[in-house]
Amino acid sequence: MVTRKKAKRAKSKAAANKSARKVARLNMKNPAIKTPVRRNAPPRPSSKPWGEAGRALDGVRILDFTHVQSGPTCTQLLAYMGADVIKVERPGIGDVTRGQLRDVKDADSLYFTMLNGSKRSITIDSKHPKGREVLDRLVKACDVLVENFAPGALDRMGLTWEHIHKVNPRMIVASVKGFGPGPYEDCKVYENVAQCAGGSASTTGFRDGPPLVTGAQIGDSGTGLHLALGVVAALYQRNRTGRGQKVLCAMQDGVLNLARVKLRDQQRLGHGPLTEYSQYGEGVPFGRATPRAGNDSGGGQPGWILKCKGWESDPDAYVYFITQAPVWGAICDVIGKPEWKSDPDYATPPARLPRLRHIFDTIEQWTLTKTKFEVMEICNKLDIPVGPILSMKELAEEPSLRATGTVVEVDHPTRGAYLTVGNPIKLSDSPADVRRSPLLGEHTDEILRQVLDYSAPEIVEIKASGAITAPDKPVKAEAA
Ligand code: COA
């Protein structure tokens, strides 16, 4: 039987088709209009002012099963972009980082708070039968599950891909693992292991020293960032296919992707020495693998870190200085060596290569007379690429980073105000939503009620089962 509602829908569909056909006819008559008429046309551009049409990921709900750094980086970015991120934590313990590197007694650490902003927290014991029931309901209610457990841990909870896909075929399951399929796939991996396994450490440091890890967390945060891109791509594809998929980012792969210029150099080595490396100018032969290059610039334009005024007492009084070929004349003038402009030993990039050490020593004689900010000011005007070495203190206090929302101060009920890094990706129509991190289980009731639709008696039953409450004796969070 055709209901009135159905008939009304059919009528309005027919009207829409009729008007689409009319537009198509008109378009065909007008050769200036090339755009074909699309069946599922996207909505018309919003008439709301920029930044007031919601956020990019509004309506996306994320089951955040992440911990430590890599996974939380991914979900925090998605939360900044408007996703409703529900962090599932173990009752009484939570993400292990809540208690790591604590600076304020009994308050969540900065390690945790700076990686879990703008999220909600629910506690569920995923190994408790009732907890599993609640988790399945959450799987049904969410679009994406993000996790970075050790290999096999999610399966041991019963949350296999097959199970998740059966409960919610639209669910995207995004994982960070240390390694992709292969000999090391079962290994647990932390930041520095990934930096070493992904080629960063072997190419970082000085030639005559050991491999070095970098301060930037390219293994953890870098892989989380890669994963976030995978998640939004999978969400986009789901619009067409109607089904979720697995998204995997291995930390080794993420680091190698960021170190790709060093794999470039590995291949160049097969065709001769790497002339932009200072070891070439110094006559030191190359080995079989991409060497460590100290502070050499990787882009083919020689560069180095030079001391500035005050370096004796300030460990960050340095500047990165690039002797870019097109501004060589300006460099010679500014450092008081105008004769180098026409001297055949210095006038061309190939002539300078064997003399780079001497050239940078000479430039340093000039930078030593200026602060790093004075060098920046003088050189910028001349288009000479330089960069002051900024300390974390200077970055924390930099007004322009506060103004753009890259460094944000948020308040917290137990630790007070703290600084966090906001969204480094600026969307002109989706202002970042940077809020404090949640307390452990802060939103448990709210999520059970509003997201999972449990009634008050059901919530009482779940609580009584022990699936969402801490054990009597809190288990001590072990240090990583
Ligand atoms: N309820 C009950 N149990 C829970 C739970 C919950 N809500 N949340 C987690 N657990 C359990 C897991 O099921 C797992 O138990 P199992 O091993 O008995 O099955 C356990 O807690 C811990 O998981 P695991 O991931 O092994 O933690 P870990 O502290 O031993 O290892 C890492 C930490 C980071 C090394 C590991 O998770 C890993 O290699 N992850 C992938 C790579 C990665 O992201 N590394 C970078 C981290 S920044």
Side-chain angles (χ1 to χ4, degrees):
M1 206 175 90
V2 182
T3 60
R4 269 174 56 194
K5 233 182 185 172
K6 270 189 186 165
K8 205 172 161 194
R9 235 185 282 140
K11 204 174 158 191
S12 75
K13 206 173 161 190
N17 284 343
K18 197 175 162 194
S19 83
R21 280 198 301 273
K22 192 174 166 192
V23 173
R25 269 200 311 277
L26 285 172
N27 285 353
M28 267 155 57
K29 278 183 198 160
N30 181 353
I33 298 174
K34 297 267 187 325
T35 322
V37 174
R38 292 166 60 176
R39 260 171 209 281
N40 296 316
R44 287 159 172 237
S46 170
S47 56
K48 292 189 176 158
W50 294 102
E52 289 180 25
R55 294 197 165 81
L57 295 180
D58 273 353
V60 173
R61 189 172 280 149
I62 307 228
L63 195 174
D64 180 2
F65 235 145
T66 68
H67 64 158
V68 204
Q69 185 180 168
S70 64
T73 301
C74 166
T75 49
Q76 181 170 259
L77 274 172
L78 300 172
Y80 285 172
M81 294 186 188
D84 177 15
V85 175
I86 298 174
K87 186 165 173 111
V88 177
E89 296 182 83
R90 213 180 331 188
I93 304 172
D95 187 324
V96 70
T97 60
R98 283 187 185 266
Q100 281 178 355
L101 310 177
R102 262 197 179 134
D103 56 330
V104 177
K105 196 168 173 281
D106 296 332
D108 288 332
S109 70
L110 285 166
Y111 195 175
F112 176 83
T113 51
M114 291 179 70
L115 285 161
N116 291 285
S118 305
K119 305 180 185 178
R120 298 199 273 177
S121 167
I122 180 171
T123 48
I124 305 175
D125 179 350
S126 62
K127 288 178 179 154
H128 190 289
K130 195 77 188 168
R132 278 290 318 278
E133 225 180 278
V134 178
L135 258 179
D136 271 359
R137 198 120 152 191
L138 209 44
V139 167
K140 260 192 208 144
C142 290
D143 300 279
V144 188
L145 185 158
V146 186
E147 63 95 19
N148 68 310
F149 290 124
L154 199 65
D155 288 359
R156 287 195 291 278
M157 289 178 189
L159 287 172
T160 59
W161 162 253
E162 291 72 24
H163 175 79
I164 295 168
H165 199 230
K166 199 165 139 210
V167 174
N168 180 358
R170 288 174 60 77
M171 175 67 97
I172 290 156
V173 179
S175 306
V176 170
K177 295 288 166 262
F179 293 92
Y184 306 122
E185 63 188 335
D186 289 334
C187 296
K188 289 189 174 186
V189 170
Y190 287 102
E191 172 67 46
N192 288 346
V193 175
Q195 287 198 23
C196 295
S200 174
S202 70
T203 53
T204 304
F206 289 90
R207 204 169 55 241
D208 49 4
L212 274 189
V213 293
T214 72
Q217 305 284 282
I218 57 175
D220 280 343
S221 286
T223 309
L225 181 53
H226 281 89
L227 193 71
L229 178 59
V231 167
V232 290
L235 281 168
Y236 190 75
Q237 187 174 5
R238 195 182 70 170
N239 287 339
R240 273 190 293 115
T241 62
R243 66 184 184 202
Q245 61 182 297
K246 289 186 268 185
V247 181
L248 170 67
C249 277
M251 294 166 75
Q252 182 184 41
D253 302 8
V255 171
L256 179 58
N257 186 34
L258 297 176
R260 83 174 40 221
V261 296
K262 300 297 177 180
L263 185 57
R264 173 200 69 193
D265 293 349
Q266 179 63 41
Q267 297 173 84
R268 288 173 59 220
L269 262 183
H271 301 274
L274 308 171
T275 53
E276 78 282 15
Y277 281 52
S278 47
Q279 95 173 64
Y280 171 74
E282 289 162 29
V284 179
F286 284 83
R288 292 153 66 93
T290 309
R292 294 186 268 290
N295 287 319
D296 283 341
S297 150
Q301 300 284 352
W304 201 254
I305 289 185
L306 305 176
K307 288 173 187 157
C308 292
K309 198 176 183 174
W311 69 276
E312 300 89 341
S313 55
D314 176 357
D316 298 307
Y318 287 82
V319 70
Y320 199 90
F321 199 106
I322 300 179
T323 55
Q324 201 182 21
V327 288
W328 176 243
I331 294 170
C332 296
D333 287 337
V334 87
I335 64 169
K337 283 280 179 190
E339 65 275 18
W340 277 1
K341 287 189 279 188
S342 51
D343 184 333
D345 281 349
Y346 294 92
T348 64
R352 291 195 287 274
L353 285 178
R355 297 171 182 81
L356 285 178
R357 171 70 63 91
H358 173 63
I359 290 170
F360 282 120
D361 283 350
T362 310
I363 299 173
E364 194 172 60
Q365 293 311 306
W366 176 74
T367 58
L368 275 168
T369 66
K370 310 267 177 280
T371 68
K372 60 188 176 188
F373 297 111
E374 287 166 349
V375 173
M376 177 86 168
E377 190 157 339
I378 295 166
C379 290
N380 256 347
K381 284 191 190 128
L382 302 168
D383 277 344
I384 302 169
V386 294
I389 307 303
L390 295 180
S391 68
M392 278 300 153
K393 183 173 188 302
E394 286 162 336
L395 289 166
E397 292 164 359
E398 171 58 46
S400 66
L401 293 176
R402 298 291 183 99
T404 57
T406 296
V407 175
V408 185
E409 184 175 300
V410 283
D411 213 353
H412 189 276
T414 55
R415 64 167 302 116
Y418 67 96
L419 287 187
T420 193
V421 182
N423 194 351
I425 306 164
K426 315 293 186 201
L427 278 76
S428 67
D429 205 12
S430 177
D433 174 25
V434 181
R435 286 173 281 126
R436 73 165 171 87
S437 61
L439 301 174
L440 179 59
E442 183 176 345
H443 305 97
T444 300
D445 275 46
E446 175 183 306
I447 291 162
L448 290 174
R449 234 179 322 112
Q450 292 175 357
V451 178
L452 303 181
D453 230 7
Y454 280 113
S455 65
E458 283 173 322
I459 293 175
V460 172
E461 192 198 326
I462 293 167
K463 282 185 177 165
S465 76
I468 57 168
T469 41
D472 288 343
K473 260 194 189 164
V475 187
K476 236 182 159 208
E478 69 278 13

